[in-house]
Amino acid sequence: MSEILFMAPVFKQMIWGGNKLGSKWGYAIPGENTGECWAVSAHPNGDCTIKEGTFAGKTLSQLWTEEPQLFGDTTGDRFPLLIKIIDANDDLSIQVHPDDIYAGKNENGSFGKTECWYILDAPEGATLVIGHNAKDKAELEDMIHNGRWEEFLREVPVKRGDFIQIDPGTVHAIKGGIEILETQQNSDITYRVYDYGRLQNGKPRELHIAKSIDVITVPAKSVEESVINISTDAKNTMNQLISCNYYRVWKLDVDGSIEVSQDYPFLIMSVVEGEGQIDGHSLKKGDHFILPNGFGKAQLQGKMELIVSTVA
Ligand code: ZN
């Protein structure tokens, strides 16, 4: 009988971070300005530790290498996904990610980054930056070099429950007050296009203008193709949010009980609201775990919302 792998997250302090990961989520955060919880991660910049059981104290990257059967012998030299909770107390920088080919060539063999966001919380009237308004490469360069940010950036309204897919080459930024769960490729490569002229320790943070211009898709994908509105109200069923080349993501609202059949290489689960149980093990908001390969049927009970994912 295989065991559930419960994760001990890693926290990141950011100039735009806040304290909600402590006050709302109950995590022991390292201090104010905590922006990111790396909840399920095997990345060298934040490798999660297994909390309990046979593998207690081991990191997820160690398990990937030493116990490949837990992940259905999925091919690849590193764990493919990274799950984060992001609490933006202030606006994040305007950024873009490369794809696998560009990152492999220019970033020491790193993966590129495709990511998606489930909006956990957003203030009334909240907006995000997704895409841009440049019609061709020449206009893109002119808008960036001449700081025509108001014309360049495309802001779209968002609310709790929206789901957004961000392909490589998509200009994007989370704005202050928004809380998301991010499912992404296991990569930490971000090109910063614009940082609102902010200073960190008296200096502006580095921008990556040339690389950004290399990778930004022109023209941008339409808003309709980026912001996905799926009815996720159905209880006790796996509501698929997306299936792309890298991951599949579902929303699962448990109200009462449901049996989930773990037929995937592995299944990542994050409790984002409420509380309950899985196979008698108590769960609460902020718990993240992996059902390993061959786990079989899991019984979930209680009243809670989960975001679930696996590799494509
Ligand atoms: Zn991003």
Side-chain angles (χ1 to χ4, degrees):
M1 173 68 196
S2 45
E3 291 175 28
I4 300 173
L5 306 171
F6 285 94
M7 299 290 136
V10 175
F11 296 92
K12 300 278 179 181
Q13 287 177 282
M14 302 287 185
I15 55 169
W16 45 260
N19 60 25
K20 277 191 228 151
L21 288 166
S23 62
K24 275 182 70 181
W25 289 79
Y27 294 123
I29 55 172
E32 296 292 310
N33 294 103
T34 300
E36 298 188 350
C37 163
W38 290 27
V40 182
S41 166
H43 195 281
N45 295 350
D47 201 353
C48 292
T49 307
I50 311 305
K51 271 190 188 170
E52 56 185 68
T54 309
F55 304 111
K58 294 223 176 199
T59 61
L60 185 54
S61 67
Q62 259 181 303
L63 290 192
W64 179 258
T65 309
E66 296 169 10
E67 311 282 347
Q69 76 287 352
L70 293 173
F71 310 100
D73 297 301
T74 300
T75 51
D77 61 353
R78 66 206 108 167
F79 187 77
L81 301 178
L82 203 169
I83 313 297
K84 289 179 188 176
I85 293 172
I86 297 179
D87 165 30
N89 193 50
D90 195 0
D91 299 347
L92 272 72
S93 61
I94 309 297
Q95 49 187 258
V96 63
H97 306 295
D99 62 14
D100 288 340
I101 294 167
Y102 190 92
K105 216 185 297 176
N106 297 285
E107 306 292 347
N108 298 314
S110 173
F111 284 162
K113 190 163 157 187
T114 297
E115 66 188 43
C116 62
W117 301 340
Y118 181 80
I119 310 286
L120 294 167
D121 199 13
E124 190 74 36
T127 61
L128 289 172
V129 173
I130 299 290
H132 61 80
N133 298 313
K135 62 182 184 306
D136 54 32
K137 200 90 176 175
E139 190 173 49
L140 174 85
E141 292 189 30
D142 186 69
M143 284 176 158
I144 291 176
H145 289 309
N146 293 307
R148 296 164 59 193
W149 305 115
E150 298 235 326
E151 289 167 86
F152 178 60
L153 299 172
R154 190 170 68 193
E155 278 192 46
V156 302
V158 288
K159 57 184 188 315
R160 182 184 153 77
D162 283 346
F163 181 76
I164 297 162
Q165 170 79 348
I166 297 161
D167 292 328
T170 305
V171 173
H172 63 281
I174 303 167
K175 300 205 131 204
I178 294 176
E179 233 179 89
I180 65 167
L181 183 137
E182 178 175 84
T183 303
Q184 58 160 95
Q185 280 182 275
N186 181 3
S187 165
D188 202 17
I189 306 293
T190 294
Y191 300 145
R192 199 176 285 130
V193 187
Y194 174 55
D195 200 23
Y196 301 98
R198 290 181 293 199
L199 303 179
Q200 183 170 40
N201 304 322
K203 279 181 275 176
R205 295 193 292 174
E206 191 190 359
L207 300 178
H208 314 92
I209 300 295
K211 285 178 172 175
S212 296
I213 290 172
D214 277 351
V215 305
I216 292 172
T217 304
V218 192
K221 229 167 64 165
S222 71
V223 174
E224 295 70 33
E225 286 173 286
S226 301
V227 181
I228 301 164
N229 287 300
I230 292 169
S231 170
T232 53
D233 300 343
K235 308 277 188 209
N236 302 318
T237 184
M238 298 266 274
N239 297 296
Q240 183 171 288
L241 296 168
I242 195 151
S243 173
C244 72
N245 288 339
Y246 298 101
Y247 43 72
R248 284 180 76 180
V249 181
W250 299 265
K251 171 90 187 309
L252 172 59
D253 283 3
V254 178
D255 190 358
S257 69
I258 170 186
E259 185 177 82
V260 173
S261 192
Q262 204 305 63
D263 302 324
Y264 305 92
F266 56 91
L267 203 57
I268 300 172
M269 294 190 162
S270 295
V271 182
V272 296
E273 201 58 72
E275 52 187 38
Q277 293 183 342
I278 182 164
D279 293 349
H281 193 298
S282 61
L283 293 177
K284 61 176 191 316
K285 173 174 174 161
D287 285 342
H288 306 268
F289 52 93
I290 299 174
L291 302 182
N293 189 249
F295 189 84
K297 297 196 185 318
Q299 300 290 336
L300 286 98
Q301 287 177 305
K303 193 164 171 59
M304 52 185 177
E305 296 175 20
L306 297 97
I307 302 293
V308 180
S309 59
T310 191
V311 277

